[in-house]
Amino acid sequence: MLAGLLLAGCGSEPDRPAATPPASTPPAPSGAAGADPAARAAQLVATLGDEDLVGQVLMPYAYGSAADNVSAGSAAGNRKLAGVDTPAQMIAKYRLGGLILVGFSADDPTGGNQATTNVDNPTQVRDLTTGLQTAARKLAAGSVPLLVGTDQEYGVVTRIKDGVTQLPSGMAFGAAGDPALTEKAWRAAGSELAALGVNVDFAPDADVLRAQSTVIGSRSYGADPKNVAAQVGGAVRGLQGAGVAATLKHFPGHGDTAADSHQDLPVLKQSRATLDRNDLPPFKSGIDAGAWLVMSGHLDTRAVDAGTPATFSHKVITDVLRKQLGFSGVVVTDGMNMAPAQKWPAGEAAVRALKAGNDLLLMPPNVGKAYDGLLAGLRDGSLPRDRLVEAATHVLTLKFRLAGHPAPAMSTLGSAPNKAAVQQVSAAAVTQLRGPCTALPGPVTVTSSNGRQHTRDLLTRALRAAGVQVVGSGGRVVHLIGYGDGAGDLSADAAVTVAMDTPYLLAKAKSERLLATYSSTESSMAALAAVLAGKAKPTGRAPVPVSGLPATSCGG
């Protein structure tokens, strides 16, 4: 039966070598439910042929909002990317280990490598992931689930936005400074992702922010390694407690550079001692919390392996991450379609990344060339077979871990307990950096930099619900600033300026009162309204230094 499935999978590829026959039928996950995931993975790997092993280490994106039925434009995109029409066909042809769901928005610093979007609403996402799993079950490794991942960091990098509970940004968690609240909120988020059929989240961001970066920015929990480490540990425990694999990124740390690794190769110039002291602690904390994945970054870590992106550095991944920090899970690359990874052809880049110690290759720019390159490397000896076997074993170990977590009901999305957990964090995050810690006298007029009407409406409704009179003009101005804004977006007339992303711009604001929410979610605006109405205290502390301003002007 298995041989028939393998032959069926190759039927449309007369130009590809025949699959190496497996040794035996792979075990079903129900057959040894209590067995160690690593042992079960090793048993399954021993049954797989070369093509199946290669497929397990690939995690591309695909075009289309459904597994089997896509638009003409999506089919054309899939043919260019992988020589197939649909995501289901891509899984079958390349025996894929996983697929990433992608999307983008105007304020997304990672939008440069998001060629399409296949997330629209919860029902569509759940139907898509169900269809992807159906396709994967037909593979030789189909006794375990397909890895379905996405970048759901929240804040500016949020793929699934509608119909789910929105957490604030990482920096908001850093301002709240309570790992227990972090764990609770991320457990809520994980339960909703699991309900949608997403079992891998490329979060949390473990970067310690020391550069005023727009690509990392509020995605980071802050500038203090100890605080960031505590938050990262909480996020990992929350996500994985809900059955969703957490991913620490971007190893060995993207926070000390303002350059964008989507476009160029950032250089990390800090000493090895500084790297160990400032950048690695959050990764160690996440590993100690049990994180199942770490993402290698396209970063030139001069103190470890000068001139080589960490993604392709054996010294960074194997010597530092594996040996020094003791990580034994899945190492996944950052997008292989990002500029630093496209220095080499797709096949050669795939071999280099795997040899460096990565186990899972994310978003190859051409799936067929990456797949064929790995097979060719295996057969000419440039890719050692034991390295491929090790990588596939890591991936399948993760899958066996995930197989024991049933998906929650869709009713968990936006549930009252989940919203309450997020509201707690949002309230604890509100930070006042200047001005009196009292209610703002009304009436109030809400303004913002261009393009933020939706957020103004959220705050207006929240203020009115809190008993504050809001008028269209003539009131005390509460001015909102956010991602991408500069000094020209400040308002000289504002009584209050509120930073909804990083708080650095507040150093240039002239307002009597300066506040930061670090996010523009509904819960963040409700928390802000409660502070302005005098119903709550701004107990957050700025998790990054802001020139000329204290971490809080309201004590604590």
Side-chain angles (χ1 to χ4, degrees):
M1 177 180 176
L2 182 57
L5 286 173
L6 288 170
L7 289 172
C10 292
S12 61
E13 300 180 71
D15 56 320
R16 294 188 185 279
T20 301
S24 61
T25 302
S30 59
D36 175 64
R40 298 175 73 190
Q43 181 184 1
L44 178 53
V45 162
T47 73
L48 299 179
D50 293 349
E51 291 79 4
D52 301 297
L53 294 174
V54 166
Q56 285 302 300
V57 304
L58 295 175
M59 193 174 194
Y61 66 93
Y63 292 81
S65 58
D68 293 294
N69 185 17
V70 303
S71 67
S74 291
N78 286 324
R79 285 193 293 271
K80 183 177 180 181
L81 177 66
V84 297
D85 287 339
T86 70
Q89 290 171 2
M90 195 182 300
I91 290 169
K93 182 174 183 178
Y94 298 105
R95 335 289 176 86
L96 294 179
L99 203 75
I100 180 173
L101 308 185
V102 293
F104 54 89
S105 65
D107 285 350
D108 187 345
T110 68
N113 72 327
Q114 306 294 307
T116 183
T117 182
N118 44 24
V119 292
D120 182 23
N121 61 71
T123 300
Q124 172 267 319
V125 172
R126 180 64 189 180
D127 288 346
L128 170 60
T129 60
T130 299
L132 298 176
Q133 294 293 355
T134 298
R137 280 194 292 272
K138 300 173 184 177
L139 302 178
S143 57
V144 284
L146 183 78
L147 299 181
V148 180
T150 198
D151 288 292
Q152 192 80 348
E153 296 179 25
Y154 300 95
V156 293
V157 179
T158 305
R159 302 290 180 243
I160 305 169
K161 298 184 177 182
D162 296 332
V164 299
T165 305
Q166 290 293 329
L167 273 61
S169 69
M171 193 164 284
F173 285 96
D178 188 338
L181 289 182
T182 303
E183 180 175 346
K184 186 177 179 181
W186 275 100
R187 187 179 296 265
S191 71
E192 298 194 9
L193 288 172
L196 293 171
V198 174
N199 54 24
V200 175
D201 192 3
F202 295 115
D205 191 303
D207 301 316
V208 179
L209 190 66
R210 286 186 300 279
Q212 293 193 21
S213 159
T214 56
V215 68
I216 300 301
S218 61
R219 301 164 67 188
S220 167
Y221 289 101
D224 177 69
K226 185 176 180 180
N227 183 33
V228 175
Q231 301 306 316
V232 166
V236 168
R237 288 188 294 272
L239 263 177
Q240 295 190 173
V244 174
T247 309
L248 311 175
K249 64 187 191 186
H250 309 79
F251 191 81
H254 203 316
D256 204 41
T257 174
D260 185 350
S261 58
H262 293 82
Q263 302 166 359
D264 206 348
L265 179 62
V267 175
L268 304 181
K269 298 180 180 179
Q270 64 265 47
S271 68
R272 180 58 195 271
T274 300
L275 188 78
D276 287 347
R277 183 175 62 251
N278 290 342
D279 297 276
L280 298 187
F283 290 97
K284 179 60 175 171
S285 176
I287 291 167
D288 290 345
W292 288 335
L293 298 99
V294 172
M295 178 179 286
S296 57
H298 301 314
L299 304 163
D300 180 358
T301 312
R302 292 292 171 91
V304 180
D305 194 1
T308 303
T311 323
F312 302 97
S313 171
H314 188 275
K315 292 180 180 178
V316 172
I317 295 174
T318 301
D319 294 347
V320 178
L321 178 58
R322 294 289 193 196
K323 296 179 181 178
Q324 179 183 337
L325 299 187
F327 181 63
S328 60
V330 172
V331 181
V332 57
T333 69
D334 206 344
M336 296 290 284
N337 62 348
M338 292 164 62
Q342 295 207 56
K343 176 181 177 181
W344 304 279
E348 181 181 351
V351 170
R352 284 175 175 267
L354 212 65
K355 287 177 68 176
N358 294 280
D359 304 307
L360 193 58
L361 310 183
L362 191 64
M363 302 174 75
N366 185 291
V367 183
K369 290 180 179 179
Y371 181 89
D372 289 342
L374 290 172
L375 277 178
L378 190 64
R379 290 166 183 171
D380 69 15
S382 60
L383 174 60
R385 181 177 177 80
D386 59 356
R387 173 76 274 268
L388 175 63
V389 168
E390 180 184 51
T393 303
H394 287 157
V395 171
L396 288 166
T397 299
L398 172 59
K399 291 186 174 192
F400 276 110
R401 283 172 169 158
L402 293 170
H405 293 273
M410 290 287 279
S411 58
T412 194
L413 272 64
S415 65
N418 288 358
K419 287 184 176 180
V422 172
Q423 192 63 55
Q424 279 186 284
V425 173
S426 299
V430 179
T431 306
Q432 185 156 307
L433 292 87
R434 186 164 71 205
C437 304
T438 56
L440 178 69
V444 167
T445 298
V446 179
T447 65
S448 72
S449 52
N450 290 332
R452 304 191 190 280
Q453 183 63 50
H454 174 69
T455 311
R456 292 201 303 273
D457 291 343
L458 287 177
L459 180 57
T460 296
R461 288 196 295 269
L463 285 167
R464 287 173 174 159
V468 177
Q469 181 185 5
V470 183
V471 295
S473 61
R476 291 173 64 82
V477 173
V478 175
H479 186 68
L480 305 175
I481 54 174
Y483 178 82
D485 285 349
D489 296 296
L490 295 170
S491 170
D493 300 326
V496 181
T497 299
V498 181
M500 303 184 298
D501 191 60
T502 56
Y504 302 120
L505 189 55
L506 293 178
K508 298 181 180 179
K510 304 301 181 184
S511 301
E512 175 189 24
R513 189 177 297 197
L514 303 176
L515 288 157
T517 61
Y518 315 96
S519 279
S520 58
T521 63
E522 184 175 2
S523 64
S524 293
M525 292 302 98
L528 172 63
V531 168
L532 293 175
K535 296 179 180 295
K537 296 294 184 183
T539 58
R541 296 178 60 86
V544 293
V546 182
S547 179
L549 294 171
T552 174
S553 65
C554 290

